[in-house]
Amino acid sequence: MVSVLLLVGILAAVFVGFNVGGSTTGPAFGPAVGADAISKTGAAALMTLFFFVGAWTIGRNVVETLGGDLVTDATVFTPEASIGVLFFIGLGLLVGNLFGVPASTSMTAVGSIAGLALAGDALAWSVMGEIATWWIVSPFIGFWMSLIIGRYFYARLNRMVAMERSEGPLVELDRSGAVPKPVPNGSTSRRELLGVITVVAIGCLMAFSSGTSNIANAIAPLVGSDQLEMNPAILIGGAAVGIGTFTIARRTLETMGNDLTELPLTAAIVVATVSATLVIFLSAIGIPASFVVIATMCIIGLGWGRATRPVTVPEAVRGEEEPPVSVDALAEDEPGEELPPIGEEDPEHVPSAADLFDPATTARVVLMQNLVPLISTIGAYLAFRFVPIFGL
Amino acid sequence: MIERVLVPIDGSEMADKALEYALEVYGDAEITVLFVAGEPSPMMWKALSVAMDEGIGEAAQDHAEEIFKDAREMAAEYDVEIDTAVEMGSPAKQIVEHAEDFDAVVIGSHGGDLQSRLFVGNVAERVFKRSPVPVTVVR
């Protein structure tokens, strides 16, 4: 009986890992694939490798938090409850992907386990408080760091990154020696090669950071209930992520790659580096981090920093060659009269970048990102409290 | 007498219907189509892609130009010339601010799917509630 439950538990963990692999490869390697730096298969292979390395080295800290420290009494992780928790994590992922609402898997996982612990009266409030505090503080750290970069260093970074792709493959294999070695294609400039290496390296960093924080979401309930040892669990979780990267990630890479090309490469690099570094730091101290929220706050910080830099009016207004005519002036014209072409902008309505990131907008977006984790917390609590099949 | 009509557009089918209605009913008036670039999106990519451009006004204009092209073509069918305006940020807020300079607003009932409902909100409803001038919601 227990072995059947274990099998179902592993299947649920594999399902979560599979989805993590599918949804993380896009943000991590979208820019690299979009810039034709690597193939989709290459992206999948690097994603799998670096996810595993991150999970094996730092990720186990988070597994210990989620599968142990967060509950005062590990017996709440009955085999049935572990499957239930994984079910809620998987459901959260599915809903998020289905409706295009990005939701942090880690927040969903913490929420589901907290729901279970609450129902079993075994929630370690001090640990929960510590996690929640970091969830509030870390996005602000990301916001502030990106803001500083956006305001003072972005222009310089942008010049460094400026990457123009030449025709033809990036590298050729030099087969003249005993061992074929890759050499830069004749049309590949040094600077271009450096740019390509940068986007691929940042993809690897993101994959690594995802491994450190996301492995726990797939395996923590099974490790917490002592159904699996840590190391075999990490191997299984890593393999499941690998399956996801080589299958469904191909599609997310296509859409993400296209979405991300709208974003200047330098901006994508800044956001990825700052948020991945923060996530790795949090994982190292055993805190499950919410990549989605951190990355969003980095984006807003970067945009804000950029928006607050001095902008001259001619820079902001297009069509300055035409005399700007205010809409009020038009009112004095007789109806039906042939109107002169007006400047595209009413001077009183010069678009300001601050409008892009006003507090109300920001609050709404971050609130929506917390919707899925919140629903799974409540759902998990209600299910574990009132449905008597989990052996609590 | 309705002399100046504001038609907010976003490239959606409902916005097209609103513009069509405005062209039919207010063809003699001064019609301005308004596009709000860099609207809130799940991770704010759209807003950032506008903000990071060298000239932010130009970036917003670039985003808008494609949608304006379609609008101008539609107006040409009715032999009407339209003006264009670009704003950035939260659509409902920008539309309401703009509406002060107009006699009426014609807006499509909704532009998007659940995702944009969640992140942007129901623009038509908010414009309807807060606009200083009469609003026609086209369904």
Side-chain angles (χ1 to χ4, degrees), chain A residues 131-165:
Chain A
I131 293 173
T133 307
W134 277 110
W135 279 352
I136 296 166
V137 172
S138 58
F140 281 101
I141 301 175
F143 172 83
W144 182 80
M145 284 169 72
S146 303
L147 188 138
I148 298 294
I149 294 172
R151 193 170 159 89
Y152 298 109
F153 303 107
Y154 189 81
R156 211 176 309 164
L157 279 173
N158 205 19
R159 277 195 297 276
M160 275 165 62
V161 171
M163 191 171 76
E164 284 155 33
R165 282 286 280 117

Side-chain angles (χ1 to χ4, degrees), chain A residues 18-389:
Chain A
F18 177 77
N19 275 296
V20 166
S23 60
T24 318
T25 314
F29 286 99
V33 172
D36 276 333
I38 45 168
S39 67
K40 282 180 196 155
T41 316
L46 285 175
M47 176 72 209
T48 310
L49 176 69
F50 281 90
F51 183 96
F52 179 75
V53 174
W56 190 265
T57 53
I58 298 176
R60 55 186 70 224
N61 298 338
V62 187
V63 178
E64 274 164 17
T65 305
L66 274 184
D69 302 345
L70 187 57
V71 292
T72 51
D73 178 6
T75 56
V76 291
F77 281 120
T78 63
E80 293 88 348
S82 302
I83 295 167
V85 165
L86 285 167
F87 169 78
F88 278 106
I89 299 171
L91 197 69
L93 271 173
L94 191 72
V95 169
N97 286 339
L98 222 55
F99 296 115
V101 179
S104 159
T105 322
S106 295
M107 290 179 96
T108 310
V110 171
S112 306
I113 292 175
L116 165 68
L118 266 180
D121 207 15
L123 181 62
W125 282 101
S126 61
V127 178
M128 187 65 222
E130 196 190 337
I131 293 173
T133 307
W134 277 110
W135 279 352
I136 296 166
V137 172
S138 58
F140 281 101
I141 301 175
F143 172 83
W144 182 80
M145 284 169 72
S146 303
L147 188 138
I148 298 294
I149 294 172
R151 193 170 159 89
Y152 298 109
F153 303 107
Y154 189 81
R156 211 176 309 164
L157 279 173
N158 205 19
R159 277 195 297 276
M160 275 165 62
V161 171
M163 191 171 76
E164 284 155 33
R165 282 286 280 117
S166 53
E167 291 295 310
L170 204 61
V171 288
E172 286 171 337
L173 283 183
D174 177 7
R175 295 183 194 277
S176 55
V179 180
K181 61 176 183 190
V183 293
N185 182 301
S187 64
T188 308
S189 69
R190 244 188 115 75
R191 187 195 181 115
E192 183 187 346
L193 194 66
L194 203 71
V196 165
I197 291 170
T198 310
V199 278
V200 175
I202 279 167
C204 296
L205 179 73
M206 296 259 289
F208 179 83
S209 85
S210 170
T212 64
S213 92
N214 280 327
I215 189 70
N217 306 329
I219 63 169
L222 296 179
V223 175
S225 63
D226 279 333
Q227 286 168 285
L228 279 181
E229 288 296 317
M230 180 76 84
N231 287 344
I234 293 179
L235 283 171
I236 292 171
V241 168
I243 298 170
T245 61
F246 278 100
T247 51
I248 46 171
R250 304 183 78 88
R251 220 182 55 225
T252 52
L253 264 177
E254 243 156 52
T255 52
M256 264 297 188
N258 289 341
D259 276 0
L260 287 180
T261 45
E262 272 184 41
L263 195 73
L265 189 64
T266 317
I269 290 173
V270 170
V271 170
T273 312
V274 173
S275 28
T277 309
L278 266 171
V279 168
I280 294 170
F281 163 73
L282 289 179
S283 302
I285 58 171
I287 302 291
S290 54
F291 179 81
V292 171
V293 179
I294 292 177
T296 306
M297 287 304 281
C298 285
I299 288 173
I300 293 167
L302 186 60
W304 222 60
R306 194 75 175 134
T308 54
R309 82 202 194 284
V311 182
T312 57
V313 172
E315 210 181 9
V317 184
R318 186 175 162 154
E320 73 233 61
E321 67 276 7
E322 291 160 350
V325 178
S326 79
V327 176
D328 285 322
L330 284 174
E332 288 154 22
D333 291 307
E334 290 300 314
E337 195 185 298
E338 190 67 16
L339 292 163
I342 62 165
E344 298 286 3
E345 309 294 345
D346 171 358
E348 284 168 30
H349 280 105
V350 170
S352 141
D355 290 335
L356 288 167
F357 302 102
D358 69 358
T361 304
T362 308
R364 185 186 183 102
V365 167
V366 172
L367 202 69
M368 285 303 147
Q369 292 175 344
N370 284 290
L371 206 61
V372 171
L374 191 70
I375 291 170
S376 23
T377 307
I378 297 170
Y381 172 74
L382 293 177
F384 291 124
R385 179 79 179 74
F386 296 109
V387 183
I389 57 167

